[in-house]
Amino acid sequence: MLKIGCARTDITVYEAGMGMMGWAYGLNLAKGVAMPLSARSFVLEDGDGGRVALVVAEICFITQALRQAVVAELERQPALGLSDERIMLTGTHTHSSPSGYSHTVFYNASGPGYSEIVFQGLVRGIVSAIVQAAEQMVPGVVRRQVGAIPASEPVAFNRVIHAYESNADVFTRTGESHSPIALDREMTLLRFDDAAGRPLGMVSWFGVHGTSVHRESELLHPDNKGMAAAWFERYAAEDLGAPRFVAAFAQSPCGDVTPNRNYSPKRGMTIGEDEDDFESARLNGEIQARFARQLFESCSPVDVLEPSLDAALLRADFADLEVLPYFAGGQRGRRTSP
């Protein structure tokens, strides 16, 4: 039988005065905390001992350095059964999270620099989330649901319609600057319950940038994905009687999909549904959370998955990749370059 473990840890860390990650704007400095940042982890094991771990961290993205350090720490605990290829680390893409956790000049340039405080804090928090989830594994079931957030919900908009419509596989044409049909509105959700049917957690995937909170902010904030997670965890505690429930709102490919559609003359930029960015993040997150709740509650016995878990890891040199004929006007043998 499948075993499932869920955990949430605090990864609120920053070095005062350094920039935050995402906006690459010199005045977008970290000076305080509006809302804590979390790492949410799910460890699953099948009946044959195959095990995988998924982490959804409320940071801009996972750097190579961060992944290497987390994997190294976990490999020092062989009893966990989590080798490199069995660990999936993801970021929610909030732009209001700390910088300084890369070993690459490009990503450190806007910080500016590397921060041992931030790097080690994130490593500790992510490793702890995985270890705790592994220690809490119990027999359980996984259910899967998929559905599209209605176009009437102001949750996501394409900010570059003309680029989207230049893709060969897009046949819908629209003159609207923020067409609800010029993006993928589908959400995928996994529901985790223990063997007795008690809810343990969920993870959903939906693509929208974590930019409800703009570059003027000097406070850490998990943005709309974090607000969605907080909403869902309150719902689980109050309505489902599950105070330790873990709800993660992971990022799908978000491309040019923005939560902002309203031009603010006062600020000279496009913003969300409210002049207050924190309120915009809350409103956007609640849309994601409400729809995730619909999917969660619609899961039925026929949606149960009986997976055999396995994993593979592919390393690719993006400066020397084969370009498929589909993306090269039918030409064969084309490759990317440095």
Side-chain angles (χ1 to χ4, degrees), residues 43-338:
V43 177
L44 285 79
E45 180 181 289
D46 62 22
D48 297 321
R51 185 179 286 192
V52 295
L54 166 67
V55 175
V56 181
E58 290 172 343
I59 55 178
C60 196
F61 46 74
I62 304 296
T63 65
Q64 181 180 4
L66 183 57
R67 176 179 173 81
Q68 288 173 334
V70 169
V71 170
E73 286 294 321
L74 294 172
E75 288 182 340
R76 293 189 182 97
Q77 304 181 55
L80 287 173
L82 291 171
S83 49
D84 195 356
E85 75 281 1
R86 295 184 175 274
I87 303 163
M88 177 176 284
L89 306 181
T90 72
T92 61
H93 202 58
T94 171
H95 280 36
S96 297
S97 58
S99 66
Y101 58 98
S102 175
H103 292 164
T104 303
V105 172
F106 176 84
Y107 290 120
N108 287 339
S110 64
Y114 167 80
S115 170
E116 185 74 0
I117 295 172
V118 171
F119 185 80
Q120 294 299 339
L122 294 179
V123 171
R124 284 193 302 271
I126 291 172
V127 169
S128 178
I130 295 173
V131 171
Q132 288 183 39
E135 291 174 344
Q136 296 171 20
M137 283 195 300
V138 295
V141 296
V142 180
R143 294 180 174 88
R144 176 178 179 270
Q145 268 289 9
V146 180
I149 298 181
S152 59
E153 296 280 13
V155 66
F157 310 91
N158 196 317
R159 63 188 180 192
V160 191
I161 294 290
H162 65 276
Y164 178 86
E165 292 196 332
S166 69
N167 292 316
D169 57 345
V170 176
F171 301 103
T172 303
R173 294 293 178 262
T174 174
E176 300 177 38
S177 61
H178 293 295
S179 171
I181 56 178
L183 51 89
D184 182 1
R185 300 184 70 88
E186 189 171 86
M187 175 182 284
T188 299
L189 180 139
L190 294 181
R191 171 175 174 159
F192 306 122
D193 296 311
D194 68 14
R198 291 183 292 262
L200 298 173
M202 57 75 67
V203 57
S204 79
W205 287 265
F206 179 76
V208 60
H209 266 79
T211 53
S212 295
V213 180
H214 284 73
R215 67 183 192 178
E216 303 100 320
S217 176
E218 296 178 336
L219 303 175
L220 298 188
H221 193 281
D223 217 278
N224 52 65
K225 294 287 185 184
M227 299 302 287
W231 187 100
F232 205 103
E233 287 171 352
R234 284 195 302 272
Y235 150 71
E238 296 170 3
D239 292 16
L240 304 179
R244 300 183 65 183
F245 189 95
V246 178
F249 283 75
Q251 194 62 264
S252 287
C254 52
D256 283 306
V257 180
T258 177
N260 304 310
R261 65 167 176 168
N262 303 303
Y263 183 75
S264 169
K266 177 182 176 181
R267 299 169 66 180
M269 63 178 66
T270 304
I271 62 172
E273 301 306 299
D274 196 278
E275 281 286 345
D276 183 325
D277 285 351
F278 295 153
E279 179 65 7
S280 289
R282 184 190 68 80
L283 292 169
N284 189 282
E286 286 192 5
I287 294 173
Q288 296 181 58
R290 282 191 285 101
F291 189 72
R293 176 179 174 174
Q294 292 179 30
L295 295 179
F296 184 87
E297 293 179 343
S298 68
C299 285
S300 68
V302 299
D303 300 314
V304 172
L305 303 179
E306 297 182 2
S308 175
L309 298 173
D310 204 351
L313 180 65
L314 172 67
R315 301 186 188 279
D317 180 357
F318 274 57
D320 187 26
L321 291 177
E322 178 186 1
V323 180
L324 297 177
Y326 177 83
F327 297 109
Q331 300 178 81
R332 297 184 179 276
R334 311 301 290 180
R335 305 191 71 83
T336 60
S337 69

